[in-house]
Amino acid sequence: MATLVLDNGAYTAKIGYSQETVSVIPNCQFRSKTSRLKTFTANQLDEIKDPSGLFYILPFQKGYLVNWDVQRKVWDHLFGKEMFKVEFADTSIIITEPYFNFTSIQESMNEILFEEYQFQSALRINAGSLSAHHYFHSKPSELCCLVVDSGFSFTHIVPYCRSKKLKEGIRRINVGGKLLTNHLKEIISYRQLHVMDETHVINQVKEDVCYVSQHFYKDMEVAQMKGEENSVMRDYVLPDFSSIKKGFCKPREEMLFSGKYKTGEQILRLTNERFAVPEMLFHPSDIGIQEMGIPEAIVHSIQSLPEDMQAHFYQNIVLTGGNTLFPGFRERLEAELRSLVPADLPVSVLLPANPICYSWEGGKLLAHNPDYDEMVVTRDDYEENGHCICEENFDI
Amino acid sequence: MVLEKKVSARVEAGQRRVLDEATRQRRLTRQLEALEKDNFQDDPLSSLPPPGPTARLPAFSETEEPEKKKRKTRGDHFKQRFRKNFTTLLEEENLSEKPEPNYLSAAAPPSPLPPRHFCCVCGFPSHYTCTTCGGRYCSSRCLCTHRETRCLKWTL
């Protein structure tokens, strides 16, 4: 019996059989201005010839699955003949959900998995629990860990002890990749070029050019200098989808510090936006969101737990999610924590090699776990007992 | 060449309207909600004219309709149940009745540190506030740009 592991994220779905490798596929539908009638699903994004002004249809809102129409269409495409060719009666599925998922959404998911798709058995679990499982598997001597999952919609800080999450320590910061991209679009639109419609392009800009600074005010001073001394400034060449398919950052040797470029490319000149945008993860109050940043929330979360466990949590912090890929994120987080945490407690932050697929890899390990069959709910159980058996078995 | 006298932006301050705190708060909330949007343009499909009676081919409609009706009712059933947005679902959860910890209690509290302010025009650290709308600026040149473009635009 095959096991399909699906990390159902708000931006990308990480999906794959437990015997094979993971594929990262956008979890939404697209419409483009050029081919108006056609709606592209998930990885059909590569077929779009002109991705300018791409219109996104996301099934998730604020991190929770609200639009089942779109989600079912994406799943139909993923489970169908072109992608994973799932044999539902013979497959078990591990699917992830956000923390504190609403009961109505949980019930809808049960119905869709068992009654519409008719999987043989299913396991609904938080993505962070899979990451914790992966961590404990790689470090068997540790009992506690703190998972920081910074994704598209929000950031969660969740303490785990002996593979059980401690609900009183969970903290949610409503800043995620979506907010960072929208903020970057707004400031570029105000200062340079109107890009409010170009989510896909600016997301690429954010991933290529933004970084987390280690000395914020010093970088601000450097960014204000003119000419060659400004080591922060970068020029980004925007794609025009005819000759330049994908945008890229111009290397420093080719940059012209005075005057205009002779070629007809569209250029964005980015200075303080490069590090001011990821700074929102550390200080959401910069744009007016009344919440603590990630380092303070970590300290707040750990301080709400029993004192004898606190030292163990500070030593086992795991970073997952797309936002942790900003260059300098781990070092900055460690430095900020070091200044907030009492001096006698050692602090250690782990950034895995692939933070986006870390939970999926945890799911793969879980599928091979001997206890797996006791954790799932089979279709027969669900048909006899209904939603209450799922509520008992799954710890969401 | 005649040199123009530089008009000070501060001189007009006495004649300008000052927004009160509630309006400023409303503007800020609107800006933050705008950051949560998925798309800033309209759906390309919605701008197309809806398919009218002339669009349907008469030859195929009789055979296809019974099948379409069956699929439609099933799809409609799901659509009616599942077309709720986030705020509706949150209210339905009725979280004030449920024990802590829950979705609302997990939200991170406000930071004890004071917020940092950045110029709304250039993004560098700012020390001054626009008297009318409360936006921050760093230098008089940025204040001029702010007054011309963003100050008091889109006010409720």
Side-chain angles (χ1 to χ4, degrees):
Chain A
M1 193 175 74
T3 308
L4 186 68
V5 182
L6 168 58
D7 183 356
N8 205 32
Y11 182 56
T12 52
K14 279 68 74 183
I15 183 171
Y17 283 107
S18 59
Q19 269 84 13
E20 296 168 10
T21 51
V22 60
S23 317
V24 178
I25 297 168
N27 191 9
C28 58
Q29 288 191 306
F30 305 96
R31 286 202 189 126
S32 109
K33 285 188 301 204
T34 40
S35 41
R36 284 189 191 194
L37 283 174
K38 191 160 185 294
T39 304
F40 299 90
T41 312
N43 60 350
Q44 286 172 349
L45 175 65
D46 308 320
E47 293 169 13
I48 302 182
K49 287 181 230 75
D50 183 14
S52 64
L54 207 55
F55 184 79
Y56 279 71
I57 308 169
L58 299 162
F60 282 77
Q61 219 180 61
K62 292 207 137 190
Y64 291 87
L65 229 183
V66 297
N67 192 338
W68 283 104
D69 298 335
V70 179
Q71 185 64 92
R72 273 185 305 135
K73 292 209 182 86
V74 176
W75 280 353
D76 285 340
H77 177 80
L78 290 177
F79 298 153
K81 291 191 283 278
E82 293 155 37
M83 298 288 302
F84 286 91
K85 304 181 209 38
V86 180
E87 312 250 327
F88 298 107
D90 209 21
T91 311
S92 173
I93 184 167
I94 300 180
I95 190 167
T96 59
E97 286 193 331
Y99 293 97
F100 299 121
N101 202 7
F102 305 148
T103 19
S104 43
I105 305 182
Q106 292 190 34
E107 289 177 5
S108 312
M109 186 170 303
N110 288 337
E111 281 180 25
I112 290 188
L113 288 178
F114 287 122
E115 292 172 21
E116 189 176 326
Y117 287 111
Q118 302 183 341
F119 278 100
Q120 209 265 326
S121 62
L123 171 62
R124 284 189 294 111
I125 193 172
N126 294 125
S129 307
L130 294 177
S131 307
H133 181 81
H134 189 171
Y135 186 74
F136 291 132
H137 185 89
S138 56
K139 291 199 177 173
S141 55
E142 302 292 344
L143 293 170
C144 309
C145 82
L146 185 81
V147 176
V148 177
D149 187 357
S150 188
F152 183 67
S153 336
F154 39 39
T155 301
H156 271 113
I157 291 162
V158 189
Y160 279 87
C161 183
R162 290 197 176 88
S163 302
K164 274 201 73 88
K165 66 179 186 235
L166 301 174
K167 282 195 182 173
E168 62 273 9
I170 300 184
R171 297 288 178 272
R172 180 188 71 250
I173 306 170
N174 290 319
V175 176
K178 180 176 175 184
L179 209 80
L180 299 180
T181 308
N182 278 345
H183 183 63
L184 185 60
K185 283 196 302 194
E186 223 183 277
I187 50 185
I188 294 182
S189 299
Y190 187 60
R191 296 174 198 172
Q192 294 184 51
L193 187 66
H194 183 84
V195 290
M196 291 306 278
D197 296 344
E198 310 280 341
T199 312
H200 185 72
V201 175
I202 300 295
N203 201 57
Q204 195 60 49
V205 174
K206 180 188 81 171
E207 290 174 12
D208 286 341
V209 141
C210 288
Y211 69 98
V212 179
S213 92
Q214 307 300 318
H215 311 281
F216 185 66
Y217 287 108
K218 214 163 91 169
D219 277 353
M220 274 290 182
E221 280 175 34
V222 172
Q224 278 178 308
M225 296 200 260
K226 301 212 192 306
E228 288 256 4
E229 293 172 347
N230 189 343
S231 53
V232 170
M233 180 167 66
R234 286 280 184 276
D235 280 347
Y236 191 86
V237 179
L238 291 173
D240 59 1
F241 305 116
S242 49
S243 49
I244 310 174
K245 288 285 172 203
K246 194 167 172 251
F248 61 94
C249 186
K250 250 192 201 278
R252 269 195 85 80
E253 303 82 55
E254 290 176 28
M255 271 172 70
L256 285 173
F257 292 99
S258 50
K260 286 200 189 293
Y261 285 97
K262 294 287 184 281
T263 50
E265 330 156 295
Q266 280 189 314
I267 301 268
L268 286 179
R269 178 151 282 192
L270 300 168
T271 50
N272 61 2
E273 297 91 352
R274 283 186 74 196
F275 54 91
V277 164
E279 194 65 23
M280 274 163 46
L281 291 165
F282 293 86
H283 292 273
S285 50
D286 282 356
I287 52 164
I289 294 179
Q290 302 294 334
E291 286 181 7
M292 315 178 134
I294 296 181
E296 294 169 294
I298 290 179
V299 176
H300 192 263
S301 159
I302 295 184
Q303 275 174 351
S304 68
L305 303 170
E307 274 204 48
D308 42 352
M309 290 167 42
Q310 287 182 11
H312 295 283
F313 282 111
Y314 282 121
Q315 285 176 290
N316 296 301
I317 299 178
V318 190
L319 299 177
T320 53
N323 287 329
T324 53
L325 286 170
F326 282 124
F329 188 93
R330 194 200 75 85
E331 289 78 20
R332 172 72 186 272
L333 185 64
E334 214 175 80
E336 293 260 346
L337 278 178
R338 185 68 278 172
S339 62
L340 290 169
V341 165
D344 52 334
L345 297 173
V347 166
S348 155
V349 177
L350 170 71
L351 180 67
N354 191 343
I356 297 183
C357 298
Y358 196 68
S359 321
W360 188 90
E361 303 281 338
K364 183 174 171 167
L365 291 169
L366 191 64
H368 296 296
N369 201 345
D371 299 329
Y372 177 66
D373 291 318
E374 282 140 45
M375 293 163 66
V376 296
V377 169
T378 60
R379 189 155 163 251
D380 304 321
D381 285 339
Y382 172 76
E383 295 199 334
E384 270 183 52
N385 302 308
H387 294 296
C388 40
I389 190 168
C390 290
E391 219 183 285
E392 282 170 25
N393 265 19
F394 300 143
D395 170 37
I396 296 283
Chain B
M1 200 165 63
V2 179
L3 281 173
E4 290 181 10
K5 188 176 169 197
K6 195 170 99 174
V7 179
S8 167
R10 290 181 296 129
V11 167
E12 300 172 34
Q15 299 136 12
R16 296 182 82 94
R17 176 174 146 217
V18 175
L19 291 182
D20 61 321
E21 187 56 41
T23 323
R24 289 184 187 186
Q25 199 53 43
R26 255 181 286 151
R27 285 188 88 191
L28 184 64
T29 330
R30 275 207 25 247
Q31 278 169 8
L32 290 179
E33 275 167 29
L35 280 178
E36 279 286 331
K37 278 166 77 169
D38 283 342
N39 295 292
F40 293 85
Q41 71 267 43
D42 297 319
D43 193 349
L45 211 59
S46 61
S47 59
L48 287 176
T54 49
R56 253 192 300 150
L57 296 168
F60 299 113
S61 59
E62 291 91 42
T63 46
E64 284 212 73
E65 265 194 30
E67 280 183 80
K68 267 195 186 158
K69 274 197 183 142
K70 248 201 235 168
R71 243 186 284 146
K72 246 196 195 165
T73 47
R74 187 163 165 258
D76 272 349
H77 160 73
F78 271 126
K79 278 182 188 169
Q80 276 156 24
R81 281 191 64 187
F82 299 137
R83 193 160 275 183
K84 293 180 185 167
N85 69 353
F86 180 76
T87 25
T88 325
L89 287 175
L90 187 58
E91 281 165 13
E92 278 182 7
E93 273 298 285
N94 218 351
L95 284 165
S96 44
E97 320 245 312
K98 289 203 180 153
E100 305 255 310
N102 58 23
Y103 174 78
L104 294 175
S105 70
S111 169
L113 300 170
R116 310 185 290 196
H117 302 296
F118 298 97
C119 175
C120 52
V121 174
C122 64
F124 289 103
S126 84
H127 294 290
Y128 317 108
T129 314
C130 173
T131 45
T132 36
C133 72
R136 310 276 167 174
Y137 60 95
C138 62
S139 56
S140 51
R141 209 177 321 144
C142 282
L143 178 64
C144 280
T145 319
H146 170 78
R147 281 265 160 82
E148 284 161 23
T149 50
R150 211 181 251 184
C151 198
L152 290 187
K153 292 242 165 105
W154 316 297
T155 312
L156 291 160

